[in-house]
Amino acid sequence: MKSSLFIYALCALCPAIFTRVAGAGWEFIQNGTSGVLALETIIVSPTLAVFFDFATTGDPLQINNHSAWGGLWNLETNEVTALNVVSDTFCASGGLLSNGTMVSVGGNLNFVGGTSPGIDGRMGLRIFEPCASPSGEGCTLYDDPDTVHLTENRWYPTTLRIFDGSLMVVGGIHEVTPFYNTDPVNNFEFFPAKDGTVPRPSAFLERSLPSNLFPRAFALPDGKVFMVANNQSIIYDIEANTETILPDIPNGVRVTNPFDGTATLLPLSPPLYIPEILVCGGTNASDQIPVANLSSQDPASDQCSRITLTAAGIKKGWEVEHMLEGRMMPEMILLPSGEVLIINGAQTGYAAIAGVHDAVGNSNADNPVLTPSLYNPSAPLGQRISNKGLPATEIPRMYHSTASLTPSGNILIAGSNPNLDVNTTVKFSTEYRVEYLNPPYMSLDRPTLTGVPSKIAFNSNFTAQVTIPDHVGSHPVIKVALMDLGFSSHSFHSSSRLVWLEATLSHDHKLLEISSPPNNRVYPPGPAYIFLTVGDTTSAGIHVMVGSGASPPVPDQGRRI
Ligand SMILES: *[C@@H]1O[C@H](CO)[C@@H](O)[C@H](O)[C@H]1NC(C)=O
Ligand SMILES: *[C@@H]1O[C@H](CO)[C@@H](O)[C@H](O)[C@H]1NC(C)=O
Ligand SMILES: *[C@@H]1O[C@H](CO)[C@@H](O)[C@H](O)[C@H]1NC(C)=O
Ligand SMILES: *[C@@H]1O[C@H](CO)[C@@H](O)[C@H](O)[C@H]1NC(C)=O
Ligand SMILES: *[C@@H]1O[C@H](CO)[C@@H](O)[C@H](O)[C@H]1NC(C)=O
Ligand SMILES: *[C@@H]1O[C@H](CO)[C@@H](O)[C@H](O)[C@H]1NC(C)=O
Ligand SMILES: *[C@@H]1O[C@H](CO)[C@@H](O)[C@H](O)[C@H]1NC(C)=O
Ligand SMILES: *[C@@H]1O[C@H](CO)[C@@H](O)[C@H](O)[C@H]1NC(C)=O
């Protein structure tokens, strides 16, 4: 959809006159250390992120006289405090429910030499209730697998919030295996449970073996779920329990662990919210080659594949374009501008640890990509990807690294550890340094949005106060993004979402009338941040609860589209 949909300024057809103000441009800034390895990251409040690690014996952050493996990262002070995680969160996933509670899902048996205090986390359902304290004081994690747990053991599962505000849990593996999914959990389950806790078998997961860990799955605006695993894709109808097969990713490219590419649902635009999926990176290697026959120097795929999920779009199939370099283990972050940041990963090799015959240190991947790119979904094919003006970091972010948009509008980046334990002596050692990628607007005078209600019903209008900096000119182009910041684990940002909201600016540029999403399928009910972009500057995000805030499952709400 074209940006003209969001132009509600006084003079939509006038050429926008921008008085550009010199700022710092894009920049990486290191600040603080994560204390635990941030191999999973989720923003849980306007000021806090949660990091999860494996139940290690070596992290510097301590709790109860042992190394912690969970931390609350304070985005204001850039300091971490330990979370009391009880079960092993290694290679888990998670998400937010319709009532704002964060749930960490699945995990590991805890294999670190038997000396770690962690207990079996494979059925983990760890609950972090909404935290009102800006510093996180008094906010704790409930982690008792004897009381609250999944139906199956799941290491490497995907978790996403669906239309009724529950979490859907997809696939995984039962046991620790070195590379391919050789002990698969070929089914789906939900939290809170559906179907009397009986998991639903999936032919898709069966078919996409053995490189189908962390399937990339998305809640579509009609309530169905799109999934891609290995080189295959489907639409799953939760209500009918049916799978519809879509075309394979072209050219033999495989995109899920241990062949990690990544995927995102592109921004959804009114009035039709037509979903488009973008899948980038991974490899075209065969998934029948034993890991010891693969090389850390095998080139990663530079392919991005995009599909429109309408009957005509599916018939047309995947449209192929190319990144500026191959990327194994990239992550894609939706930005409030509607662009997609492609960040992290390696130009060669594979995910996982110490499997290939020529591991670098213990890393199956080599040649880290240090410069991010931007993908502009509305540019013509072949002109969408650029790294112009983007800086290079000095920190490789490969296996077990994470990235997330923050409520203030910059990108938090942490982790990277292609090692079996904490290893500080090897090439590609355990990485605790936290860094931010600041978009240019972070150092400019920014628009502000105030008076946004804390709870927003579907299909309703509300008015917010705005201030617009002088430097954007007198005919500002306004875009209002409603965003789920997602859960980052293993090069995938599950539940990440951007829904454009229709908005009308008052003649005096002081008030913005905003329309909420039409229903709970366009935006699964739960927490969100609203960002206002004016010209090329973006406000900080305002935290809102979309829907009633009730515990899942919640009934359908709003108007059908
Ligand atoms: C931690 O160790 C110290 C010194 O050995 C001891 O006094 C303290 O009680 C321990 N704390 C916990 C929570 O186990
Ligand atoms: C790091 O963050 C702290 C807390 O926000 C801030 O005071 C400090 O200036 C930051 N340092 C750098 C180098 O940005
Ligand atoms: C997808 O992978 C399967 C199994 O390796 C293969 O048979 C099929 O040809 C691939 N599809 C494409 C489009 O390359
Ligand atoms: C893997 O490498 C071994 C040793 O070089 C070789 O004997 C074997 O044929 C290779 N297997 C495959 C499937 O490439
Ligand atoms: C596989 O990918 C590599 C790296 O992008 C490329 O050089 C090669 O041509 C691809 N092979 C096929 C058969 O597409
Ligand atoms: C770090 O990895 C290297 C390479 O595998 C290994 O030789 C070394 O023992 C490891 N160190 C620790 C502390 O595990
Ligand atoms: C919200 O505002 C839009 C645009 O002014 C209008 O078309 C729509 O009817 C309003 N919706 C409600 C529920 O008031
Ligand atoms: C949200 O719902 C979950 C699942 O029912 C429940 O465990 C949690 O306590 C609820 N939190 C709040 C704040 O209602």
Side-chain angles (χ1 to χ4, degrees):
M1 293 286 113
K2 301 294 171 288
S3 60
S4 57
L5 264 177
F6 324 114
I7 299 171
Y8 296 93
L10 292 176
C11 179
L13 297 175
C14 296
I17 303 152
F18 297 118
T19 319
R20 282 194 181 267
V21 173
W26 289 88
E27 56 180 356
F28 279 105
I29 292 181
Q30 291 177 29
N31 200 329
T33 53
S34 53
V36 299
L37 178 76
L39 73 88
E40 296 146 38
T41 295
I42 180 170
I43 301 292
V44 289
S45 84
T47 54
L48 297 168
V50 167
F51 295 146
F52 289 116
D53 195 347
F54 62 100
T56 173
T57 52
D59 279 335
L61 191 65
Q62 300 281 306
I63 191 165
N64 300 335
N65 288 347
H66 63 72
S67 280
W69 59 95
L72 256 186
W73 177 255
N74 186 320
L75 295 159
E76 292 182 321
T77 62
N78 293 314
E79 285 167 353
V80 68
T81 49
L83 264 185
N84 191 27
V85 192
V86 176
S87 63
D88 193 346
T89 44
F90 194 35
C91 307
S93 53
L96 298 163
L97 298 171
S98 55
N99 60 16
T101 295
M102 190 275 285
V103 187
S104 153
V105 178
N108 187 229
L109 184 55
N110 181 25
F111 57 64
V112 187
T115 52
S116 147
I119 63 171
D120 186 350
R122 289 172 299 170
M123 287 192 184
L125 280 171
R126 309 166 194 91
I127 294 181
F128 186 81
E129 300 286 13
C131 179
S133 157
S135 67
E137 206 181 330
C139 298
T140 56
L141 185 79
Y142 177 82
D143 182 9
D144 178 8
D146 286 342
T147 312
V148 184
H149 58 82
L150 291 167
T151 301
E152 291 253 11
N153 286 332
R154 291 182 197 267
W155 196 38
Y156 286 77
T158 287
T159 299
L160 68 150
R161 186 166 76 259
I162 60 170
F163 64 88
D164 67 3
S166 310
L167 298 178
M168 177 174 179
V169 186
V170 181
I173 183 166
H174 294 106
E175 289 291 347
V176 173
T177 59
F179 198 67
Y180 291 119
N181 189 355
T182 48
D183 185 11
V185 194
N186 287 333
N187 60 42
F188 312 137
E189 64 176 290
F190 300 86
F191 179 72
K194 299 189 191 300
D195 317 316
T197 74
V198 180
R200 301 179 177 191
S202 167
F204 164 71
L205 291 174
E206 183 84 44
R207 218 168 44 240
S208 55
L209 290 170
S211 176
N212 71 355
L213 295 167
F214 283 113
R216 280 60 168 123
F218 303 91
L220 299 177
D222 63 359
K224 297 185 179 116
V225 173
F226 170 86
M227 298 185 202
V228 55
N230 200 329
N231 67 343
Q232 307 190 27
S233 68
I234 59 161
I235 289 177
Y236 176 63
D237 184 331
I238 296 173
E239 289 151 296
N241 189 19
T242 53
E243 297 183 353
T244 304
I245 296 179
L246 302 189
D248 289 356
I249 303 288
N251 304 318
V253 172
R254 303 173 200 284
V255 297
T256 43
N257 187 277
F259 291 166
D260 281 311
T262 192
T264 193
L265 173 65
L266 292 174
L268 295 167
S269 303
L272 297 176
Y273 306 95
I274 292 168
E276 289 185 88
I277 302 285
L278 178 69
V279 179
C280 294
T283 180
N284 62 8
S286 159
D287 57 9
Q288 301 303 310
I289 303 176
V291 60
N293 289 52
L294 295 172
S295 166
S296 62
Q297 306 307 310
D298 292 344
S301 177
D302 64 2
Q303 180 171 301
C304 288
S305 314
R306 176 167 162 176
I307 195 168
T308 303
L309 298 178
T310 54
I314 292 166
K315 192 158 171 237
K316 188 172 158 221
W318 295 91
E319 176 181 78
V320 168
E321 50 201 319
H322 297 277
M323 294 185 287
L324 305 176
E325 61 286 291
R327 288 192 194 239
M328 175 59 54
M329 304 177 284
E331 184 143 346
M332 292 199 289
I333 311 282
L334 294 170
L335 300 179
S337 63
E339 289 176 303
V340 183
L341 181 75
I342 306 174
I343 190 165
N344 297 349
Q347 292 180 65
T348 62
Y350 303 93
I353 296 165
V356 300
H357 62 83
D358 58 351
V360 180
N362 300 305
S363 175
N364 285 347
D366 194 9
N367 302 297
V369 195
L370 301 175
T371 306
S373 288
L374 283 174
Y375 179 94
N376 178 354
S378 52
L381 180 65
Q383 297 170 34
R384 295 174 185 154
I385 303 174
S386 163
N387 62 9
K388 196 163 165 279
L390 284 150
T393 173
E394 62 183 52
I395 306 177
R397 302 286 183 178
M398 304 200 292
Y399 203 43
H400 293 157
S401 63
T402 49
S404 180
L405 183 69
T406 72
S408 51
N410 58 1
I411 294 92
L412 168 69
I413 305 152
S416 198
N417 187 30
N419 300 290
L420 278 172
D421 205 337
V422 175
N423 194 324
T424 53
T425 55
V426 76
K427 186 165 185 197
F428 305 133
S429 61
T430 308
E431 184 57 69
Y432 292 114
R433 283 173 293 176
V434 172
E435 100 198 292
Y436 293 91
L437 175 60
N438 284 346
Y441 55 72
M442 293 302 286
S443 58
L444 295 175
D445 194 12
R446 302 171 69 184
T448 65
L449 198 53
T450 50
V452 175
S454 60
K455 198 183 278 184
I456 292 169
F458 291 101
N459 193 36
S460 68
N461 291 341
F462 57 93
T463 302
Q465 286 89 53
V466 296
T467 62
I468 293 178
D470 292 340
H471 65 81
V472 298
S474 51
H475 304 297
V477 177
I478 301 282
K479 291 195 272 188
V480 180
L482 180 76
M483 298 187 73
D484 188 318
L485 306 183
F487 186 110
S488 173
S489 181
H490 291 76
S491 313
F492 180 50
H493 221 85
S494 65
S495 302
S496 156
R497 199 177 199 81
L498 190 165
V499 176
W500 292 120
L501 302 183
E502 298 202 56
T504 311
L505 187 63
S506 65
H507 286 256
D508 63 4
H509 289 191
K510 288 185 173 153
L511 296 176
L512 199 55
E513 186 172 8
I514 303 175
S515 303
S516 75
N519 62 50
N520 58 298
R521 294 177 180 234
V522 169
Y523 190 91
Y529 291 84
I530 296 181
F531 292 90
L532 166 65
T533 296
V534 184
D536 54 8
T537 57
T538 296
S539 72
I542 306 296
H543 183 254
V544 295
M545 173 59 81
V546 187
S548 66
S551 297
V554 300
D556 276 334
Q557 297 161 40
R559 124 184 102 83
R560 294 181 78 100
I561 50 162

